[in-house]
Amino acid sequence: MEQEIKIVAEVDKEDIAVCRFTVDRPVYAGRVDFARSGGAKGVPLAEKLFEIEDITQVSMFGPVVVVSKLADRSWREIGKQVGAAIREYLKSGMGPTEERFQASLAEPAAMRKKIQELFDAQINPGVATHGGWVELIDVKDNNVYLRMGGGCQGCGMADVTLKQGIEALIREKVPEVWQVLDVTDHAGGTNPYYEPAK
Amino acid sequence: MPRVLLLFPTTTYRAEAFLRAATRLGAEITVATEEDTALTGLNPHRLLTLDFDDPAGAVRRVAGFAREYPIDAVVPVDEQSAVVAAALAAALSLRQNSLQSTLAAGNKYRMREILRRGGIRTPSYQLFSVDDNPEFLAGEVKYPCVVKPLILSGSRGVIRADTEEDFVRAFRRLAAILCAPDVAKCGAAARQILVEDFIAGKEVAAEGLLSGGKLHVLAIFDKPDPLDGPFFEETIYVTPSRLAPTAQAEISSCVAAAAKALGLTEGPLHAELRVSEAGPWIIEVAARSIGGRCSRALRFDGGASLEEVILRHALGMEIQSIQREQEAAGVMMIPIPKGGILKEINGVVEAKNVVGIEEVSITAHKGQELVPLPEGSRYLGFIFARGATSESVEVALRRAHCHLDFVIEAEVTKARWHDVGLVGPPCRM
């Protein structure tokens, strides 16, 4: 008998227009991001999700589907439609096979080595000019966990350095990465390079 | 995918909010700052450095960049970057305010002149040089008055004077602020002082979005703490306003007329007004959105942030609704109670646990030198609340603030720099 598909939905605490759906099995082998304006580019689940009115953006990686919405409809309502679309997609057998999914997972030690080399050769020499450093904390399920220190910790431009610099470089050099997650306690920074003032 | 060029001063509180919104819209992002960020050289199509004091130079730099990476929108976050954005947009044929209008809105004297000529209710004013002798001027001024710089924001350098003695002290204090290195570099406008009538009444702020010259008022914020001087420390903003609907309509009309007089036609607008028995008076209209992290108090139908609304407008994307959410919302900019070094921050957990509080964000860090108004330009942090009514939001903000305890130790060597007049506040040159 086919096992029930379990999905946990979690609205983003920082942005209530974004909801993360974590499924108990792989949804996508690798990572893809779509905006409604750019279309679903032939990816069946993204096509299905964009059939739901108000959905503006879809990201998929491994067992996770992140959806952004517009308009006043609640996640309670839209979430049911998203859940139904994911279930329908998986039940129809369009999801990745376990074998294909496993093949998409990077070997953590190899990924860690590549990223550490990137940190050592480019990122840390760059942020050192502002008295900062970036430490690779872990690589798990194709997700990279890092911590910023020194001038980067609590810096007003830390998000710019992270998103436009570090994350962009990681995605360029190690495209199999799903997410780059900053675990820094920025509030604990005592010597930020740029102090916000306006 | 469309590409947006975000102009961030390196001191902005707003980077995260704009990056998040632009990412959500699926835009390619390039960030331009006035100083190098840590990885600028490694990502030349994502990170640019532009001289915000030199719009013409910025245009040359970006025109070359845009040939390789076409730009669909330029979005500034403060008055200075608004001027650069206007110059860039004109060169790239993008939707933005005119250069003249942003220059006018960024200089309080020019703004007063244009508003007066346009018949907009605005305080009477006089312009002086920092080199003038305030003792000679004190007899020419009507009291109570407000002494303020032509530039600067967040009430920095704004001082009320009720008597000739007050005026002389205020004038000298402001002149010292204008000599601080981070201000003096702003050029001729930093050598002048505006003195205007103090308008008694309630103060409100209006947040708007201009599109094709039409103003959409997004929110009117009450400022329940009286702003009667001698300094004008911003604290609590709560929306919706509790003023009568007719008063709110007058405020909206007044802001729209001011924007029209200044020639502002596109993008965000932030206005500060006094509401007296005669009606609303424009104190300031800026070609930018609300400062600090205060934009988090605004949320629109569907959960869109103010930054998303601004970006959608700039990119020419559909804006489904600019109706603010049903709930009341508010923010408290946590004032600096005294100068010194921040040693400890206590009570954050208790403040967060107050009913209605959504977030307590402490942006000052331990070891930071704190400079209160009128010399300073920073806050200790921000408290955000939501609730059924504006009253409940205001109560929540005050309760949360009561829980916070900032241990600040006076630093003997740098004490009262403004009285000494030799050493400016901490700034990065």
Side-chain angles (χ1 to χ4, degrees), chain A residues 12 14-18 57 68-69 71 122 126 130 159-160 164-165 168 189-190 192-198, chain B residues 9-13 16 20 23-24 29 35-38 42-43 46-47 78 296 299 302 320 365 377-378 428:
Chain A
D12 190 318
E14 296 289 315
D15 187 347
I16 61 161
V18 177
Q57 206 178 6
S68 302
K69 74 171 175 76
Q122 296 190 55
H130 284 196
D159 284 303
V160 173
Q164 297 295 98
T190 55
Y193 191 77
Y194 291 120
E195 289 178 352
K198 57 185 172 183
Chain B
T10 48
T11 50
T12 186
Y13 285 106
E16 193 264 343
R20 177 184 288 275
T23 303
R24 185 137 81 82
I29 305 166
E35 289 185 45
D36 283 348
T37 54
L42 293 178
N43 280 295
R46 294 178 192 276
L47 296 165
D78 70 344
R296 288 186 71 115
R299 194 187 283 160
Q320 204 169 39
H365 61 83
S377 59
R378 295 184 167 92
R428 190 177 300 281

Side-chain angles (χ1 to χ4, degrees), chain B residues 72-122:
Chain B
D72 300 281
V74 182
V75 176
V77 302
D78 70 344
E79 282 94 340
Q80 193 185 17
S81 55
V83 174
V84 179
L88 294 175
L92 300 171
S93 302
L94 301 174
R95 177 193 278 204
Q96 257 295 346
N97 288 310
S98 69
L99 182 59
Q100 286 308 313
S101 67
T102 55
L103 285 168
N107 179 305
K108 292 184 178 74
Y109 174 67
R110 280 194 218 180
M111 180 168 43
R112 290 268 175 276
E113 289 277 280
I114 291 169
L115 295 181
R116 183 180 56 81
R117 282 202 301 269
I120 315 291
R121 195 185 286 131
T122 189

Side-chain angles (χ1 to χ4, degrees), chain A residues 37-38 43 68 85 103 112 116 118 143 158 184 186 191:
Chain A
S37 55
V43 174
S68 302
R112 190 177 294 120
Q116 190 61 58
L118 178 65
N143 295 322
T184 310
H186 282 286
N191 191 28

